Amino acid sequence: MSDDARDYEDLGLVAGLEIHQQLDTETKLFCESPTDLREPAEATHTITRELHPTRSELGELDEAAMEESRVDRTFEYLAYDTTCLVEEDDEPPARIGQEALDVAMGIADLLDATVVDQGHVMRKLVIDGSNTSGFQRSMLLAQNGEIETDEGSVGIVDVMLEEESAQRVEETDEGVRYSLDRLGIPLIEIGTAPDISTPEQAYEAAEHIGMLLRSTGSVKRGLGTIRQDVNVSIEDGARVEIKGVQALGDIRDIVAGEADRQVELLEIREELEARDAAVGEVEDVATVFSDTDSGVIRGALDSGGEVLAVPLYGFDGLVGREIQPDRRLGTELSDHAKRAGAGGIFHTDELPAYGVTEEEVEALKTAVDAGENGSEEQSSSGNRKRTVSGDSRPQAGDAVALVAANSDVAGQAIQAAADRARTAIEGVPEETRGANDDGTTRYLRPLPGAARMYPETDVPPVEPDPSEVETPELLTERVKRYAEELGLDEGLAEQVAYGRRMVLFEEAVEAGVDPTFAASTLESTLTELSREGVDVESIRDDALLGTLLLVEEGELPKEGVNPVLTALAEDPELTPEAAMEEEGVGGVSEGEVREAVQEVVERNAEQVEAEGMGAFSGLMGECMGALRGQAGGDLVSEVLREEIQKRA
């Protein structure tokens, strides 16, 4: 349903954001390893771990960690020549990095948040393999901030400084493979109050926070460096945390989609209540499919697996009901079964299909006592009825959910699906969900509780001093300064201020490079080269700056910038001077320019005498070709005009 079609105030929509942003520091948060990402092929060795949940100081076990531990997996980690013992969890962490602390305090200042007097690092239990230690280190840095949106202020509850998780590389037969290059990169987490009441406000709040983060010039840019988690609920619904919204533009759709999903689930609840729905007991139905042609079921049976089913009394037609685009209540049941290790479920709202016949469906319903018009005892008239609030009336039919899997998985999987069906009768479950690329979401795990947090005893407390940190200039203010003080046009000023190379632009201007030339090179020229297939991201910042300085010093004509940058992209170890020599685009003297121009004019003497300055355009291209980009266009143009005037 579109944004305009929902009255979000009437729905009682409440949302909050958690913004996770990697900081662009030299070293990681608790060690001296660099924060550069590596290619998996560069790994020098691997380590393995099997992780298990631990109890908090109060002896409690976190429900989300317990569910994760039920999946038997081994985790493999790719390590590099820069990986240290802290990252491998073979050495205690060092003190929290001061550079990251200073950047985080600058961000807190922009958010009008109050920095704590003393920061204590905590351990957050994580056993999905994304940290070798089984927990993530996190510290509360600031609280009680605020930002403004068109629909009102949004409070900032907390600002956390924590370590980034390891990067998931791939699924393996034994478990998951991670890369340790990302583990430990400083990460700031900004949590808002549940002050957001529309999808548009959620987008605006996230956009504003993103602008503040980029204003520091000290955050990483690119896919995966910033993630938005969204907490959403509606009246009579439940708080649902949606993890991993990668693109800012997806936030509107995610919030609106979750509101729609909860509306659908509440309507399903009402219908199930009206039907006096219930979930039955799990039954072994392997005999029903002894001669089946279904590939999935046949494969499970032939490998010694099980076929288990659970009757869903009164669920007929609702398991297949769409609650998100191309996602149904049955998809929710399937997600839970998948978490237990199964490939998914079948259900009778979608059968016969997948090789399951009509006869097998009827036999399945009979085996678990699921009927077409309810499954309670028959009335004297022969109609099957269920009593609802003292009123006896015919009920809708029953559905059946089915799992075919290995024996060590099937029982947990069908039970997980059955439990999710029971919560459908209650309404919307509180849970953590993952964002899909199409704007929908999927079940991940239960909401974590307080039991997952406990003090980190290896890292001493810190006493942050925000008075020593300079307040970053807002990007909006920077755009204005670039236009007014540096003479950039408004479009270029905004482009470079919000661009990934804003800090490099500042360094170039400070070093004496013409602001307009620096901005157009870093934004327009690099963009054009990228469109031509040049890997501009591989060019080092110091090489870019060196190239700009060569032009400013007259060593490299502007026409030679593109070939030099292309060479630097192809071989990042080259210096700008070496690239200039390799491409043959070094500067030439004015005398050499005049000599080359005179030769061109001499070859075209008749044309020059006949056309005068009308021959200029054609000869200009010939002159530039003769000089092979080793002279600036302004100088060549000036000399050519002089030589034509002599001949005309």
Side-chain angles (χ1 to χ4, degrees), residues 37-45 78-81:
L37 296 184
R38 308 288 293 274
E39 292 296 328
E42 299 176 45
T44 56
H45 60 287
L78 303 179
Y80 304 86
D81 52 10

Side-chain angles (χ1 to χ4, degrees), residues 95-96 101 116-122 139 456-464:
R95 295 181 66 92
I96 199 164
L101 190 61
V116 298
D117 294 331
Q118 189 175 73
H120 295 264
V121 178
M122 301 288 288
M139 183 186 76
E456 166 63 84
T457 55
D458 289 331
V459 181
V462 297
E463 296 183 355

Side-chain angles (χ1 to χ4, degrees), residues 609-625:
E609 292 172 0
E611 300 179 14
M613 291 305 296
F616 175 84
S617 297
L619 297 185
M620 181 67 184
E622 191 173 337
C623 289
M624 294 300 293

Side-chain angles (χ1 to χ4, degrees), residues 239-427:
R239 181 171 77 89
V240 170
E241 181 182 28
I242 301 168
K243 305 286 287 185
V245 184
Q246 292 282 356
L248 177 64
D250 291 342
I251 287 182
R252 292 189 194 90
D253 292 339
I254 289 290
V255 174
E258 178 57 25
D260 289 345
R261 190 184 75 93
Q262 295 199 21
V263 168
E264 295 293 334
L265 289 175
L266 291 175
E267 290 179 358
I268 289 174
R269 179 193 68 179
E270 291 179 7
E271 183 63 25
L272 291 173
E273 287 178 348
R275 298 180 182 186
D276 195 23
V279 177
E281 298 298 321
V282 173
E283 302 280 353
D284 186 333
V285 294
T287 57
V288 173
F289 298 97
S290 58
D291 297 320
T292 189
D293 291 327
S294 169
V296 173
I297 299 176
R298 181 81 272 151
L301 290 174
D302 289 348
S303 62
E306 295 180 298
V307 184
L308 304 177
V310 61
L312 308 176
Y313 302 129
F315 276 74
D316 184 46
L318 295 179
V319 184
R321 176 166 170 172
E322 191 171 79
I323 58 176
Q324 287 185 302
D326 295 323
R327 290 183 62 85
R328 296 159 177 77
L329 178 59
T331 315
E332 300 276 302
L333 273 60
S334 183
D335 284 348
H336 283 252
K338 288 177 181 177
R339 288 288 295 160
I345 68 165
F346 294 123
H347 59 81
T348 51
D349 277 5
E350 64 180 358
L351 299 176
Y354 313 112
V356 177
T357 66
E358 181 70 45
E359 291 75 16
E360 286 171 330
V361 173
E362 293 304 318
L364 172 63
K365 289 185 175 181
T366 299
V368 298
D369 192 28
E372 294 300 322
N373 294 301
S375 55
E376 296 293 331
E377 62 184 10
Q378 289 187 339
S379 68
S380 58
S381 63
N383 291 326
R384 308 189 78 164
K385 299 183 177 182
R386 186 177 293 114
T387 301
V388 184
S389 302
D391 177 31
S392 183
R393 53 196 172 96
Q395 297 298 301
D398 306 325
V400 182
L402 172 76
V403 166
N406 295 335
S407 298
D408 58 345
V409 168
Q412 289 188 40
I414 193 64
Q415 194 58 59
D419 290 343
R420 178 61 184 90
R422 291 188 181 93
T423 61
I425 300 173
E426 300 169 4

Side-chain angles (χ1 to χ4, degrees), residues 27-154:
T27 62
K28 294 187 175 181
L29 191 57
F30 293 106
C31 68
E32 293 299 313
S33 294
T35 61
D36 300 323
L37 296 184
R38 308 288 293 274
E39 292 296 328
E42 299 176 45
T44 56
H45 60 287
T46 62
I47 60 175
T48 58
R49 292 284 190 274
E50 291 183 359
L51 304 178
H52 307 281
T54 57
R55 295 185 181 273
S56 71
E57 289 188 313
L58 300 178
E60 300 171 335
L61 280 170
D62 179 61
E63 182 182 356
M66 284 299 295
E67 178 173 305
E68 189 71 48
S69 70
R70 296 188 186 105
V71 183
D72 186 20
R73 291 185 293 183
T74 298
F75 302 106
E76 181 183 42
Y77 301 91
L78 303 179
Y80 304 86
D81 52 10
T82 54
T83 302
C84 72
L85 295 177
V86 173
E87 294 159 283
E88 295 184 1
D89 193 38
D90 289 327
E91 179 180 282
R95 295 181 66 92
I96 199 164
Q98 187 62 46
E99 183 185 4
L101 190 61
D102 289 345
V103 174
M105 284 191 289
I107 293 170
D109 188 14
L110 293 177
L111 293 165
D112 290 329
T114 302
V115 174
V116 298
D117 294 331
Q118 189 175 73
H120 295 264
V121 178
M122 301 288 288
R123 293 179 176 180
K124 184 189 299 182
L125 189 63
V126 178
I127 62 168
D128 64 356
S130 60
N131 199 307
T132 50
S133 63
F135 54 80
Q136 178 190 39
R137 296 180 179 92
S138 178
M139 183 186 76
L140 174 64
L141 180 67
Q143 293 177 297
N144 303 324
E146 190 175 71
I147 62 171
E148 293 297 327
T149 72
D150 290 341
E151 298 181 49
S153 61
V154 174

Side-chain angles (χ1 to χ4, degrees), residues 498-565:
Y498 281 82
R500 296 177 60 180
R501 295 180 176 85
M502 176 264 289
V503 174
L504 181 58
F505 170 76
E506 295 267 359
E507 293 176 0
V509 172
E510 187 175 347
V513 178
D514 176 72
T516 299
F517 171 63
S520 60
T521 301
L522 295 177
E523 293 302 321
S524 302
T525 302
L526 289 178
T527 299
E528 291 170 5
L529 289 174
S530 179
R531 289 171 180 163
E532 294 171 4
V534 178
D535 182 16
V536 297
E537 296 303 321
S538 66
I539 306 175
R540 305 187 319 273
D541 281 358
D542 64 320
L544 282 170
L545 179 57
T547 302
L548 295 174
L549 287 172
L550 285 174
V551 175
E552 186 64 35
E553 294 163 1
E555 298 293 325
L556 174 67
K558 291 181 180 179
E559 290 75 11
V561 169
N562 283 29
V564 166
L565 293 180

